[in-house]
Amino acid sequence: MSELPAAQTTRLVTWADQAIASGWLPDNALLSLESANKANPGQLFDQTDRPLVAGLFGGTGVGKSSLLNRLAGDPIARASAERPTSRDITVYVHRSVSVDRLPDSFPMQRMRTALHNNKDYQQVMFIDMPDFDSVEESNRELVDLWLPHLDVVMYVVSPERYRDDKGWQLLKRHVREHAWLFVINQWDRGHAAQRADFVAQLSAQGLDEPMVFCTDCRDPAHSPGSDPSQATDDFLALQRTLFALSDDQIVSHLQKHGVLARLQGLKTLSDSWLTPLGDAAGLATLNTRWSSFCENQHPDVIGAVQWPLQQVAHSHVDETPFWRRMLGSHTQRAPLDKDSLNTLSKTLNERLQILLEQFLNQQAYEQALPLAAIRKAVSVPHEKSLSFTRQHLEDALNSSLVSPGRPWRRKLYAFMGMLCLLMPLTSLVWISFRVISGFANGSGDPASYLGSNFAINGALLLGISWLLPALVHTRLQPSQQQAALEGLDQGIQHTLEQSEGKVDRSLTQLIQQAQQLRQDYQKLWADLPDDDSAALPEPVRQMLSAQTAQAQSRLLDVRANTHNSTDSAPLS
């Protein structure tokens, strides 16, 4: 279990890398995990049956080394009479215990090990840490390195320095990760009111009933080698508490408690990553908002491309004179004006890009969605869609020019074209028939000869039979310019539909991606072990922050149950 925080961090990094690659998280999102505490005491040992790791923590001159010497019964740590501040780590451990897995980052040159054969402390490893309030930065760094590897922090103060601000700041940062014992050393100079004030300060930090011991390690009667039974302070109670805490089951519970506290801190940091994923209800309406936005903005896009559209359509104006068209003389269709069509395509694409950017900015502002994620999801598909804009316009233009006008008009135009031929031919046949008949009958009947009136009337009939259908035929001829306008309008509408549809599908995938990321994140925290702080004896629970179990219960989705009990473990 000691490796769980590091393993969970690896899983979180994998999840975050995916979210970063998709644009949901900024590139520096992983920096927030650097402050997470992933180390724990179990990582120092290979064996599962390990000792309790208790660290003496305090400021300059409060007597940490003297307290350790008194606990050991030997002068193993150099007291302040020899040095004004503690600069090195002193490890007091039984010879049978092997500390096999010290992190590579530990400065071994500043670690001093004192081995002993005292069976009373066989299951306790004491760490005398440097003074946290030293002006030397390396001292504070050494404290930060060792602190995560402690089961129990023995916070040592003096009557004059129990309100030290630096100590309180460190206590606030790590209060949930350890069990805490508080020692007011040099109690011969203390007062009961100071102890009561100290207890009140600790309660404000979440330690409702802190275990506070008052000791006097400066009294010669309490020096190493003296009879402990003669102690007049709380030293014996402190010693019995340490013996009780070294019980294997309690060490196991404290290990688990510390791991869960570290996981809870890790989750608190990583939970902020869910905010950029947006609200599920808000994301669900993203497609609807896009459709509504397009409906409102498309008329403006169409209006913005009218000038280049007219330019393309104008190139298809039939400039053949009316009289020539009456005579059936038609010019060939004008070649496509590629420059004008390119201008139209470019202008339309630019307007659609602006429209999309406006929508993205609006959603990023109103829905608090990361602009990078939305842009990454829709930009490439949208740009790919716009790459076909010119082809859409040209295809629609050619299709419209091939079949200009309405179907009924094209049919009537063709019919009148036939009449332009049939009616003059019919008139000519009739006139020819009358001429031939008159010539045949003229030898017997002089009155059958046709005069000038017939010639005039016949010419008028022939002309009218051609002119009337030709005039109607000319008027019915579909306008190439109008056909070009209609074709380009259809091409623009098709482009708008393609653009809207492409973005709509991309937004659907974006929503699914956000939902999947949220589900994957929740799964990361769904299989963590239960917090079994309630199984600890009441005196041990007094050493834990009251906020820890509540936070773990609230933030961690519990799946496992713990069946071990330590109610029988002795504690004074």
Side-chain angles (χ1 to χ4, degrees):
M1 189 174 186
S2 62
E3 303 300 330
L4 191 54
Q8 185 71 352
T9 300
T10 301
R11 296 166 68 190
L12 284 172
V13 169
T14 301
W15 182 93
D17 285 339
Q18 182 182 355
I20 291 171
S22 302
W24 290 103
L25 295 178
D27 293 339
N28 62 350
L30 289 174
L31 294 178
S32 61
L33 294 186
E34 291 184 356
S35 60
N37 182 11
K38 298 175 281 293
N40 59 84
Q43 294 176 323
L44 297 177
F45 309 93
D46 281 330
Q47 69 271 26
T48 56
D49 182 18
R50 66 171 183 85
L52 176 79
V53 183
L56 284 80
F57 165 82
T60 303
V62 298
K64 299 189 306 299
S65 299
S66 299
L67 179 60
L68 178 58
N69 290 339
R70 186 177 178 188
L71 286 167
D74 287 304
I76 60 169
R78 290 176 293 173
S80 58
E82 301 177 46
R83 55 186 179 139
T85 59
S86 298
R87 295 183 177 87
D88 300 325
I89 291 285
T90 299
V91 179
Y92 182 63
V93 62
H94 195 271
R95 293 183 181 276
S96 63
V97 176
S98 176
V99 184
D100 306 296
R101 299 166 60 186
L102 287 175
D104 295 336
S105 58
F106 276 24
M108 302 305 296
Q109 70 277 10
R110 297 187 61 183
M111 176 175 167
R112 177 172 168 264
T113 303
L115 302 177
H116 66 85
N117 294 309
N118 188 341
K119 291 186 177 181
D120 291 338
Y121 291 124
Q122 185 172 356
Q123 291 300 313
V124 182
M125 184 171 80
F126 289 102
I127 310 292
D128 182 18
M129 293 194 292
D131 303 326
F132 65 79
D133 57 353
S134 170
V135 294
E136 295 185 23
E137 185 67 26
S138 60
N139 282 11
R140 293 191 292 273
E141 293 175 354
L142 199 56
V143 170
D144 289 336
L145 283 174
W146 268 99
L147 197 58
H149 296 86
L150 304 181
D151 291 306
V152 179
V153 178
M154 299 173 61
Y155 186 12
V156 184
V157 299
S158 66
E160 297 85 4
R161 303 197 57 186
Y162 69 89
R163 278 178 168 266
D164 191 287
D165 183 64
K166 291 182 180 179
W168 284 112
Q169 294 303 319
L170 191 142
L171 173 65
K172 291 177 182 179
R173 291 200 305 271
H174 300 280
V175 66
R176 296 180 177 182
E177 300 172 2
H178 310 279
W180 293 80
L181 297 176
F182 298 92
V183 181
I184 305 180
N185 204 17
Q186 305 168 7
W187 185 239
D188 55 313
R189 301 200 301 268
H191 191 275
Q194 292 172 315
R195 185 185 188 281
D197 184 46
F198 187 45
V199 170
Q201 296 293 321
L202 295 173
S203 298
Q205 300 303 322
L207 293 153
D208 293 339
E209 299 180 35
M211 299 191 71
V212 180
F213 303 89
C214 300
T215 62
D216 178 13
C217 296
R218 294 194 173 192
D219 190 326
H222 304 152
S223 60
S226 62
D227 184 3
S229 63
Q230 302 301 316
T232 58
D233 54 11
D234 297 334
F235 177 77
L236 291 179
L238 172 63
Q239 199 172 40
R240 287 194 300 270
T241 300
L242 289 170
F243 292 157
L245 286 175
S246 64
D247 178 84
D248 288 343
Q249 288 188 351
I250 293 182
V251 171
S252 176
H253 279 294
L254 291 177
Q255 164 78 13
K256 187 174 184 179
H257 171 86
V259 167
L260 290 178
R262 287 157 176 77
L263 287 173
Q264 187 269 326
L266 191 63
K267 189 173 189 298
T268 299
L269 293 172
S270 62
D271 273 352
S272 62
W273 292 347
L274 293 180
T275 302
L277 296 182
D279 176 64
L283 282 172
T285 61
L286 198 56
N287 298 82
T288 304
R289 291 197 299 273
W290 167 244
S291 298
S292 177
F293 186 83
C294 289
E295 183 179 353
N296 294 331
Q297 297 297 321
H298 278 176
D300 293 338
V301 173
I302 295 173
V305 299
Q306 284 304 304
W307 171 250
L309 183 146
Q310 294 293 338
Q311 291 292 103
V312 177
H314 184 72
S315 66
H316 294 277
V317 173
D318 189 354
E319 297 181 349
T320 305
F322 178 74
W323 64 272
R324 292 187 62 184
R325 284 186 281 135
M326 287 283 292
L327 295 175
S329 176
H330 301 285
T331 57
Q332 293 185 350
R333 202 179 91 189
L336 180 64
D337 186 350
K338 295 183 177 180
D339 291 339
S340 298
L341 189 61
N342 289 337
T343 301
L344 174 60
S345 174
K346 181 179 178 181
T347 304
L348 181 58
N349 284 349
E350 288 176 351
R351 294 298 304 182
L352 289 176
Q353 288 283 25
I354 293 173
L355 180 144
L356 178 62
E357 194 65 26
Q358 288 175 341
F359 175 77
L360 298 184
N361 289 326
Q362 182 186 81
Q363 299 311 303
Y365 176 76
E366 294 179 357
Q367 302 298 320
L369 295 173
L371 187 59
I374 313 178
R375 182 177 285 131
K376 185 166 290 189
V378 304
S379 292
V380 173
H382 186 250
E383 289 176 2
K384 186 176 181 180
S385 171
L386 296 185
S387 66
F388 295 99
T389 297
R390 189 188 185 285
Q391 189 63 48
H392 293 327
L393 293 174
E394 185 173 353
D395 291 346
L397 176 62
N398 290 332
S399 176
S400 183
L401 291 174
V402 168
S403 303
R406 300 287 185 268
W408 66 266
R409 183 168 182 169
R410 292 197 300 272
K411 293 178 181 180
L412 185 57
Y413 175 73
F415 176 71
M416 294 309 297
M418 289 188 295
L419 288 182
C420 288
L421 178 62
L422 292 177
M423 287 183 67
L425 285 176
T426 303
S427 298
L428 186 61
V429 169
W430 182 80
I431 293 171
S432 298
F433 174 76
R434 288 294 306 274
V435 170
I436 294 173
S437 297
F439 180 77
N441 296 327
S443 58
D445 185 7
S448 298
Y449 283 106
L450 300 176
S452 59
N453 287 337
F454 177 79
I456 295 172
N457 290 332
L460 288 175
L461 176 62
L462 184 63
I464 290 173
S465 64
W466 168 80
L467 181 62
L468 287 177
L471 182 62
V472 175
H473 180 259
T474 302
R475 291 300 182 186
L476 287 174
Q477 181 181 6
S479 168
Q480 293 290 309
Q481 181 181 16
Q482 185 61 35
L485 285 173
E486 292 176 357
L488 292 173
D489 282 339
Q490 293 173 3
I492 291 173
Q493 288 296 334
H494 183 65
T495 299
L496 294 178
E497 291 171 2
Q498 289 292 313
S499 170
E500 181 179 351
K502 208 69 170 176
V503 172
D504 185 73
R505 289 188 290 273
S506 298
L507 290 177
T508 299
Q509 295 175 355
L510 179 75
I511 295 170
Q512 294 172 348
Q513 185 185 68
Q515 292 172 343
Q516 188 62 49
L517 283 172
R518 187 179 293 276
Q519 291 173 3
D520 291 345
Y521 180 84
Q522 292 170 347
K523 289 178 181 178
L524 292 178
W525 298 101
D527 55 357
L528 296 178
D530 193 5
D531 175 41
D532 54 0
S533 298
L536 289 168
E538 178 58 31
V540 178
R541 291 202 298 272
Q542 290 180 238
M543 306 176 196
L544 306 177
S545 168
Q547 305 169 11
T548 307
Q550 298 172 4
Q552 290 166 358
S553 174
R554 183 175 63 254
L555 293 174
L556 302 182
D557 186 6
V558 174
R559 290 292 180 271
N561 292 316
T562 302
H563 302 289
N564 293 332
S565 174
T566 57
D567 289 340
S568 60
L571 264 183
S572 73

